[in-house]
Structure formats: structure tokens, C-alpha cells
Amino acid sequence: MMARPLRILLAKPGLDGHDRGIKVVARALRDAGVEVIYTGLHQTPEMIASAAIQEDVDAVGLSILSGAHNVLFPRVVQLLREAGADDIVVFGGGIIPEDDIPGLEAAGIRKVFLPGTSLAEIVRWVQENVRPRGVTV
Amino acid sequence: MRYETLSGIPVKEVYGPEDLAGWSPEVDLGRPGAYPFTRGIHATMYRGKLWTMRQFAGFGTAEDTNRRFHYLLAQGQTGLSVAFDMPTLMGYDSDHPRAQGEVGREGVAVDSLADMEILFQGIPLDRVSTSMTINAPANVLLAMYVAVAERQGVPPDRLRGTTQTDILKEYIAQKEWIVPPRPALRLVADMLVFGTRHLPQWNVVSVSGYHIREAGATAVQELAFTLADGIEYVKLGLAAGLDVDAFAPRLSFFFDVHSDFFEEIAKFRAARRMWARIMRERFGAQNPRSWWLRTHAQTAGVSLTAQQPLNNVARVALQALAAVLGGTQSLHTNSMDETYALPTEEAVMVALRTQQIIAYETGVASTVDPLGGAYFVEALTNQLEEAAWAYIERIDAMGGMVAAVEAGYPQREIADAAFRFQQQVERKERIIVGVNEFVVPEERPIPILRIPPEVERRQIERTRRVRAERDNTQVARRLEALRRAAAGNDNTMEHILECVRAYATLGEICGVLREVYGEYREPVVI
């Protein structure tokens, strides 16, 4: 049986309008056969969590370049947990100091990509670490 | 390896006179300081006056940024440049729920006149020129600056500086907006009229390609979209009843300087020539100053790498050199640590010193347009110009930049170019040192600037105190007057100034505009 394609929500939490990176990642994931839903800019964690649940995605990819990641990334994970959707994998990237990564991982962010990461690396990580939800193997 | 510029213009092994067939030194090059200004807007260029070294600064609270300003001025910086945080750029006060986690992070938080007073404490506004990177709420920040100057006893006609105010570029690239494009442009028109009347030395609009480029545009797209935006602002001023020569001399420009050395130099030269032609031939401007493309330049943030960050010092130096050889009037050099966070004081100093080394040690500022007449540089200038005109014609055919933006046209072109570039990097058709070639496994961590979380709390406290201590009846009255002006035809600038003087907050003023005009939601383009 063919597995259904992965569904991923890509989101820009917070107020920064730097969407070059997330759009490039969106195209690369699409080219790799992933169903990508992009929220557009200026999303609150509440908007993102509710879109993730409504769209029934397998993972959420977050991008922040404004420095608000320590507040907004964990909030998305927390809201998904509260909604009983903690099996949705949350990952992220942006202008993020390396020292912040352990804290973000402890808060439930599965992977943080830093500037300079190749698209191939992101696609590979997604393929290896995200599984269709609700499908038992 | 690809032998083509970052814009995809093929580069030949060698250039000669055959590459300049039909090119005339009199028509296409001219003399420095004379139409079409290919060689620079001033006859003596940097011999007469060096470019302004203007490092962008802003973080945390107004007190933090004020200290950085005093430091930079003491280090020999010659103009101030304010970076505002995201909530300020979007017209929200620091205690707005959407501002959570963002306060003071990417720039300084300014909620009310109280913050602006602290920001410029001890800085005589009649003696510095100040550039403010602010767009959607530029009207409010300009009003605050005028009000701070009043309190210092400095009349508006003595104020020198720039508000970016380039709202078209926001919808195209940087994406910090408040209201939809058409009402936003009406607010810019009000600023143009106000500026022409009261602030003769103020650049009301700095037409900005920087963010367009950073979002992924090529040099050709940056050049074309920026000039197309400039055309829109001229049309706006004319529609507001201003004489072209009354406001065109106060339009300035802002370009990125990327790593493709000769293409960048050619871009500045082509930009000047094209703008001179647009202003003289298309708009019939008579005043030579209306023909001038005066520009600020900033090295390409997007070119900096997190890997081996010290390499960024070399990148910035070469980009800065290109900007100087291109003939910029003002320059910001990025700091090596900006792929991690806002720059530390030490990193900013290295970046500023880079400009000073170019200015005082290399000798490149000793002669005007030293690369003028070089076969390659002139051919490239011609090619960039030709490619940019093709875009401008397409945009004209769509009904101008506002219509093009509403159709998502420049947004899509930029996203395509960004993806193409990334693919070239992945396929190693473009080498990025330390990223896809010459990679080292272990890296030395560099110090980065931390914004403590208390900044947000302290800022919120101040804003709440301002709201408690001011005359709230008066604030309500002035906001109501602004609402009527925004819904009608009165110039909104005078009313915003009244609101600001009464300590109405940025969020309250922008809230009125949101109510009258609605909020903008962009059509999502991937």
C-alpha cells in the first residue's frame, strides 16, 4: 500500500515579514512530494495551532527572524498539546542563536534549523522524522 | 562555475570597444555632476564630501538605544539611523497581545512621545541628520520627531533626515503594513504635502530596493522595482497638487550592495542614469536636483553566513567598496554577527572601521568614478539598464506598481528568483565560502547581543504610565479629529502631530487608521 503524502503546515508566527526562507522551503518540500500549506504572515500561535488541527497536518514548520522564537515557538507546542495534538511534529528555523536550541528542544521543538542549512538537509530531515499521523505501521 | 552575474547576465572572458557599440561618452556617461549623472551626482564627489557613515541602530528600550547613539557619534559616525522593533513597524503598542515576545528585539520600541524624547536625549536635532527605518507608521514617527525637536527649541525647517515611508516596498517585500495599499498611499501623499510645506530638508520618502533585494530579487529586479516604486511616488505627489520640482529633490533612494562586485557598481551607475531620464523626460522636471538619484546603501544582510562568521568581515568590506565605487551618498556596513542576532558593540565598530579604512586608507575616494569608461563596467551598466527598462515597461502596462502589487506580480518574480538562487547554491553552481565549499566542521562561537526579557516588561510599564498620566479627554478629542480627517479629505499629518503632542500612543493612532481603512491581508504567494 502506498503511504499517503505528508502534510505540513508552514507558518510565520509573530510580526516579522521576512518570508524568503519559508517560501523557498515550501517549494523544496512540494518538489519532494509533501503537501504544503502556508499560513502567510503575522500569525499568532493560536492561529497556527488551530490551522494545524483543522488542516490535519503531520507537522508544523515555524520560521522567525525577529528574535521572538523563545516565546512563540514553545507556545505553539503548548497549544497543540492542550488540544490533544501533541503527535504533530513541530520544527523551526530562522535567525536563532545556537545557545537557544537546547531550550527550544526542551520545550518540544523537534528540530531547529540555522541559517545556511541546505534545502536538501531540511527535506531529508522531514522525510526521516515526520510520519503520517494516525497511520499505524 | 557559472560565468554570469547574480542577475544572470552572461559575463564574457574579456571586454573591449566592440562591447560599447553605439555608446556615447557624451550622452551615456556625461561628466560627474551633470546629466545623466552616470558618474555621480556631484562634480567632485568624495573629494568634496565623503559619504555619510550611517550605522543602523536600535534595540531594547529608548534608553538602551540612546546610549548606543551617543557611543556611535563618539566613534565618528556622522548620522543616526534608527531601527524600530516589529510592533512599532506594525503600529502596535508594546502591550498589544500581538507584540508578545517581539518588544525591543529587532529594534527599539517606540510607543509614545515619551519614548522618542528619551531616544534623542542629549542629541541636538539641529546638528545631526537622522534616518528612521519606518514605513507603515512613518507619519506617526515623523510627527514624534517634529514634536521632540519643538521641545528642544528646534524648528521643523532645521530638521535633516529621512523617514523611509516606502509603503509599496512593504507590500512587495518587507511586509510590515497596517492598512491596504491605496489608503496607505493617501497617507504618504499627506506626508509629502506636509513635508514640502514644513520640512524643506527632510527626505519624506526613501525609495527602497534594499528589502526587495533581501527578499530574493536579483540586481535587475531591485533596480527595476525600486525605480517603478519611485515613479509611483512622483505620480502621487503630482496628484496631490504638488509641483514636481517642489518635492522630487527630497526623494531619496536606498539600495542593497551584494557580493557580485561589478554588477553592483554598474547597478548604482545605471540607477542614476535611469532616474535622471525618468525625471527629466517622463515627468518634465526642470530643477537638476529633481534629476538626482541620491542614495543610501547597505551591504547585503542576506549574503552573510552563520558559518565562519569572521568571513563576513571580508564580504562586507568588498560590498562596501562596491558601493563607494558606485558613488553612494551614504553607507551602512553590516556587522559580522547579524546572522545570529542584532550586532554587538564590537562588531558594529569593526563594520564602521571598515568604511573608514576604505575612505581614508585605500585611495579609492580620491578620484571620481574611477571605473568610468571601463569596457566591462560600461557594458554591464548598459545591460542592467536595458533589463530594468523591460520590467518597468511591463509594470507600466499593468497600470503601474500599485496594480502590479495587487496582482502579486513583483512578489512572484522575487520568490522565483530566491528559489532559483537557492537551487544554484545547492547544486554548487554558486559557491558560498564556508557553506557549500571550504567548510570546516568545528566553529568558534562569537559573542552575540542578548535582549533581556525584562525589556518588554519595562517598556509596557512606561506605556501604561504614559496613558495614566496624560490628559485622556484631550487624547480622545484629538483621535476623533484624526478619524474625521482620515475618513474625509483633510491632511492627516497635522492631526497626527496633535495626537502625538497629547501623548496618544502609536497603537492608538494606528488603531484609528485601521478602523477607518481596514487592515491589510496579503494574497499568499508561494
Side-chain angles (χ1 to χ4, degrees), chain A residues 68-85:
Chain A
H69 50 269
N70 286 334
V71 175
L72 298 179
F73 280 9
R75 180 89 186 119
V76 172
V77 175
Q78 190 199 339
L79 287 165
L80 288 175
R81 257 182 214 152
E82 284 168 11

Side-chain angles (χ1 to χ4, degrees), chain A residues 57-110:
Chain A
V57 297
D58 307 307
V60 174
L62 304 170
S63 165
I64 294 188
L65 283 80
S66 69
H69 50 269
N70 286 334
V71 175
L72 298 179
F73 280 9
R75 180 89 186 119
V76 172
V77 175
Q78 190 199 339
L79 287 165
L80 288 175
R81 257 182 214 152
E82 284 168 11
D86 46 3
D87 53 336
I88 296 179
V89 173
V90 180
F91 64 100
I95 303 275
I96 294 171
E98 229 165 310
D99 296 355
D100 288 350
I101 294 178
L104 292 171
E105 286 177 346
I109 313 299
R110 285 276 291 280

Side-chain angles (χ1 to χ4, degrees), chain A residues 15 17 23 27 42 66 119, chain B residues 98 102 176 416 426 525:
Chain A
L15 299 178
K23 286 182 168 181
R27 288 194 187 193
H42 309 144
S66 69
L119 293 175
Chain B
R98 302 197 68 151
E102 307 266 12
E176 311 299 340
D416 288 348
E426 306 263 322
V525 176

Side-chain angles (χ1 to χ4, degrees), chain A residues 14-17 19-20 23-24 27 31 38 41-43 65-68 95 97 99-100 115 118-120, chain B residues 86 90 98 101-102 105-106 174-176 214-216 302 339-340 416 422 426 448 450 521-522 524-526:
Chain A
L15 299 178
D16 80 275
D19 56 1
R20 173 184 182 148
K23 286 182 168 181
V24 167
R27 288 194 187 193
D31 287 356
Y38 171 50
L41 294 164
H42 309 144
Q43 302 289 299
L65 283 80
S66 69
I95 303 275
D99 296 355
D100 288 350
S118 74
L119 293 175
Chain B
M86 284 296 156
M90 291 286 287
R98 302 197 68 151
E102 307 266 12
R105 292 213 167 266
E106 259 200 315
Q174 184 164 262
K175 319 224 165 159
E176 311 299 340
E214 292 284 302
V302 79
T339 50
Y340 295 97
D416 288 348
Q422 192 58 37
E426 306 263 322
I448 61 165
R450 290 267 164 199
R521 299 292 312 165
E522 84 164 337
V524 174
V525 176
I526 294 187

